[in-house]
Amino acid sequence: MRIAALLVFLSVAFSPLCALADDVAAAQGIIRAQEQAFVRDDATAAYSYAAPAIKEIFPAPDIFMSMVQNGYAPVYRHKSFEFGESKSEGNWIAQRVHIVDANGEAWEALYTLEQQADGSYKITGCSLLKAGQAV
């Protein structure tokens, strides 16, 4: 009986940690899927991961893709793209990504994602700085 009670206690105590890990994994999956869409030059797929507020600013996939190509070249084309630390608060996730661009320069990207009404996550923004650059 004590073992059963202990197992119930542990599952309740650790369930928020598991949910957080699932949310972070889902967010990383969205970021990775968008990154792969950029690699394939698939504007429609890349655009599908953008939050509604982003779609209001960039109302079509080709406009969105042009913005990424011109303003986020290290995200659009790179040699490496690795996840760093993440933070979660409520229905928001912030995810750091370490990027080495096509020229071998290091960058830090901070993605923000928001959970939507359907439970999915969408990318609400990406801030990009050269590695070591002050904020």
Side-chain angles (χ1 to χ4, degrees), residues 80-104:
S80 69
F81 191 95
E82 301 298 327
F83 293 112
E85 73 175 41
S86 60
K87 291 186 179 181
S88 178
E89 186 172 317
N91 62 345
W92 289 86
I93 293 178
Q95 175 66 58
R96 289 196 181 279
V97 178
H98 308 290
I99 299 171
V100 175
D101 71 15
N103 298 320

Side-chain angles (χ1 to χ4, degrees), residues 42-106:
D42 186 343
T44 301
Y47 188 68
S48 74
Y49 301 109
I54 300 297
K55 290 180 177 181
E56 285 180 23
I57 299 167
F58 305 100
D62 60 325
I63 296 168
F64 174 76
M65 188 67 104
S66 178
M67 176 275 299
V68 172
Q69 291 168 339
N70 293 314
Y72 293 85
V75 171
Y76 179 65
R77 292 290 185 259
H78 50 270
K79 290 181 179 178
S80 69
F81 191 95
E82 301 298 327
F83 293 112
E85 73 175 41
S86 60
K87 291 186 179 181
S88 178
E89 186 172 317
N91 62 345
W92 289 86
I93 293 178
Q95 175 66 58
R96 289 196 181 279
V97 178
H98 308 290
I99 299 171
V100 175
D101 71 15
N103 298 320
E105 293 189 66

Side-chain angles (χ1 to χ4, degrees), residues 113-134:
L113 298 92
E114 181 181 26
Q115 192 172 32
Q116 305 300 296
D118 67 0
S120 68
Y121 280 91
K122 297 288 183 177
I123 299 169
T124 58
C126 177
S127 300
L128 189 60
L129 290 173
K130 276 197 171 182
Q133 183 178 358

